[in-house]
Amino acid sequence: MDLSTLWPCLISFALYWIFYIPVDQPSAMALILKCLPTINLAAAVDLQTKPLSHRQTMIKWGLAFSVLGDAALVWPWGFLIGIINFAVAHYFYIRSVPTANFMGKKPAISVFFGLVLYSLAL
């Protein structure tokens, strides 16, 4: 990814942090400032060479649903809608990970170690 396609995203991140709007003041400006960095990042992914790979397409869709989740979270009544959109976004992010040989030559051992590590975290 060329750095020049990321400049709008970096600038919008800076604007978000400079003009930070507290959660107790939802407004259209808060919505724009909160969603603009992710929209710019999705545009940067979309501006890559065509046709987009499966991974790029899944990331683009994940970013699109992340924008919807961010937009819903600007207002307190949008919490559930935001969480649902973030869940859909994570589905697309997970789909973007290549799964060929992801768990090694012996997947049963990988699953066993994953369960052991997960149980230690509880």
Side-chain angles (χ1 to χ4, degrees):
M1 181 177 289
D2 186 23
L3 186 61
S4 64
T5 59
L6 291 178
W7 278 114
C9 183
L10 296 173
I11 291 169
S12 58
F13 277 129
L15 289 174
Y16 176 75
W17 288 107
I18 291 170
F19 298 110
Y20 173 73
I21 298 172
V23 177
D24 59 345
Q25 299 174 3
S27 65
M29 182 58 100
L31 174 77
I32 292 168
L33 285 175
K34 188 167 186 174
C35 295
L36 196 58
T38 313
I39 292 170
N40 284 329
L41 197 55
V45 170
D46 194 50
L47 289 174
Q48 299 305 304
T49 57
K50 302 289 189 226
L52 294 177
S53 67
H54 173 75
R55 184 176 189 180
Q56 290 170 319
T57 303
M58 292 295 109
I59 289 173
K60 181 178 71 171
W61 280 108
L63 288 169
F65 279 97
S66 292
V67 167
L68 295 175
D70 277 337
L73 289 179
V74 170
W75 289 278
W77 51 262
F79 180 76
L80 184 60
I81 297 167
I83 294 301
I84 291 169
N85 279 299
F86 282 126
V88 173
H90 279 82
Y91 167 77
F92 285 113
Y93 293 142
I94 291 168
R95 290 282 318 269
S96 74
V97 177
T99 57
N101 296 325
F102 181 69
M103 294 179 31
K105 293 180 181 179
K106 298 182 181 182
I109 294 173
S110 298
V111 169
F112 172 75
F113 282 126
L115 291 172
V116 168
L117 291 173
Y118 182 75
S119 65
L120 291 174
L122 295 177

